[in-house]
Amino acid sequence: MSHPLLDAPISPLRQRLIDDMNMRRFSRETQRNYLRDIGRLATFLGRSPDTATADDLRRFQIEQQENGIPVPTMNSIVSALRFFFIQTLDRPDMARRLVRLAHPRKLPVVLSRDEVARLLNATTCLKHQAALSVAYGAGLRVAEVSMLKVADVDSQRMLLRVEHGKGGRYRNAMLSEDLLALLRQWWIVGRREGVMHREGWLFPGQHAMKPISTRQLYRIVVEAAQAADIAKRVGPHTLRHSFATHLLEDGTDIRIIQVLLGHAKLNNTALYAKVATRTVRAVTSPLDKLGLFKPGDISPGG
């Protein structure tokens, strides 16, 4: 079934939506997801999504729930539709009809330091090792790693410039001495192979003029985890989770970690306190401070 957001050539409605997203510097992945999710509504309606009524939105969300669409997916669709109705159509009244559902957040999968080292050493080439080292060493999202350019490496200030962060936000990420040394090795090899250029991508894809895809980065992580005999379910974001958790365990202030991750809300960063096992073990229980129980004081009998 056709609808204006997917038809070719690009309809004025789709172009206006794309312009609105470009103006806010949304990443390519976010734009693709928003177009897909708004397309879901158009397919449900069988007509242009800008003709939707409040009752249409209600029926649409009910059908999603009945079809067993996961809550995180439903909330992502709500985000896309709210942007569409508020920014593109200037109909905030419709956006208020969209309901976000509460759901318990799962604790992130975190690798131990030894597992991270094994995974990075299990990569098959220097480019892959460097890309995954950036994800862990700077705590970047997979799309942020993909969109890095050579010029984003600021060795003078020891920073990585992230110009395509979530929501189009710009930030500086940390650049450690070891990571810089690895990136310099990759620069030498990439130049020798003819794929690296001063104005080009830090991690080119199969075509040097295009960046490595997020899908390929995901595949690289999965294959490296398998080669390293890591049983946990691992993806590129696992390295970002591990970065934040290990910093927290080392005593880094949680607000600094929030800035490094580019989190808009501290609540998102605070989640890592639940998986920082070294931090938990470092705390002395108030029971121990009472001094009631000493080794050998308690009889093993009932």
Side-chain angles (χ1 to χ4, degrees):
M1 183 178 295
S2 64
H3 54 70
L5 287 174
L6 299 181
D7 286 344
I10 295 178
S11 70
L13 178 61
R14 178 189 175 105
Q15 188 59 59
R16 191 159 73 245
L17 172 59
I18 292 173
D19 290 343
D20 288 337
M21 293 189 290
N22 283 333
M23 188 164 52
R24 289 160 181 81
R25 302 182 69 186
F26 282 11
S27 69
R28 292 183 305 167
E29 187 173 7
T30 297
Q31 293 194 32
R32 184 168 59 247
N33 291 341
Y34 273 33
L35 289 169
R36 180 200 61 210
D37 291 340
I38 297 167
R40 291 177 190 253
L41 175 62
T43 300
F44 170 80
L45 294 173
R47 62 182 193 274
S48 180
D50 62 342
T51 65
T53 66
D55 187 60
D56 287 333
L57 295 184
R58 181 175 179 276
R59 290 187 299 106
F60 173 62
Q61 289 203 280
I62 290 174
E63 183 187 80
Q64 287 182 97
Q65 199 164 25
E66 291 176 345
N67 288 341
I69 302 297
V71 171
T73 302
M74 292 176 64
N75 286 341
S76 295
I77 295 171
V78 167
S79 296
L81 292 178
R82 282 183 175 175
F83 180 88
F84 176 64
F85 283 109
I86 293 174
Q87 304 298 337
T88 303
L89 299 182
D90 193 21
R91 296 179 61 189
D93 57 310
M94 292 294 289
R96 287 193 291 269
R97 301 286 183 170
L98 295 161
V99 179
R100 289 185 64 88
L101 302 178
H103 67 100
R105 292 187 63 182
K106 293 183 180 180
L107 291 179
V109 174
V110 172
L111 301 178
S112 69
R113 294 161 204 260
D114 174 67
E115 288 172 328
V116 172
R118 282 161 44 202
L119 185 146
L120 295 178
N121 285 328
T123 51
T124 57
C125 68
L126 185 59
K127 180 175 84 169
H128 295 173
Q129 186 180 54
L132 299 193
S133 295
V134 167
Y136 173 68
L140 300 194
R141 301 176 178 91
V142 63
E144 294 170 346
V145 175
S146 170
M147 297 301 291
L148 282 175
K149 293 186 175 181
V150 173
D152 293 329
V153 180
D154 187 341
S155 59
Q156 296 298 316
R157 296 191 298 158
M158 295 303 291
L159 297 171
L160 288 173
R161 291 188 290 269
V162 180
E163 296 188 355
H164 298 276
K166 190 173 183 179
R169 291 188 293 270
Y170 166 93
R171 77 177 190 281
N172 288 319
M174 63 187 296
L175 175 63
S176 69
E177 294 284 353
D178 285 357
L179 183 56
L180 177 60
L182 179 60
L183 291 177
R184 282 174 169 163
Q185 289 181 42
W186 162 233
W187 167 255
I188 294 171
V189 172
R191 292 282 284 179
R192 188 166 63 235
E193 295 176 351
V195 298
M196 294 285 283
H197 308 281
R198 292 192 179 277
E199 302 302 321
W201 302 104
L202 185 58
F203 302 112
Q206 293 181 343
H207 191 291
M209 300 303 292
K210 293 184 179 181
I212 191 170
S213 69
T214 56
R215 182 172 298 180
Q216 186 179 358
L217 284 170
Y218 186 90
R219 185 168 60 249
I220 291 167
V221 173
V222 171
E223 291 175 354
Q226 291 173 346
D229 198 25
I230 296 172
K232 296 173 182 176
R233 187 174 182 179
V234 176
H237 220 67
T238 309
L239 295 172
R240 176 173 159 89
H241 291 322
S242 303
F243 163 84
T245 304
H246 295 165
L247 283 181
L248 191 61
E249 290 178 340
D250 286 341
T252 305
D253 187 277
I254 196 167
R255 293 190 180 275
I256 294 176
I257 299 174
Q258 177 189 4
V259 172
L260 293 175
L261 292 174
H263 280 165
K265 297 179 180 178
L266 184 61
N267 286 347
N268 295 331
T269 317
L271 181 68
Y272 296 109
K274 297 182 180 181
V275 290
T277 55
R278 287 180 59 188
T279 303
V280 174
R281 293 197 302 268
V283 177
T284 302
S285 167
L287 179 65
D288 291 353
K289 292 187 176 183
L290 296 179
L292 297 179
F293 311 112
K294 302 293 182 184
D297 286 353
I298 302 176
S299 170

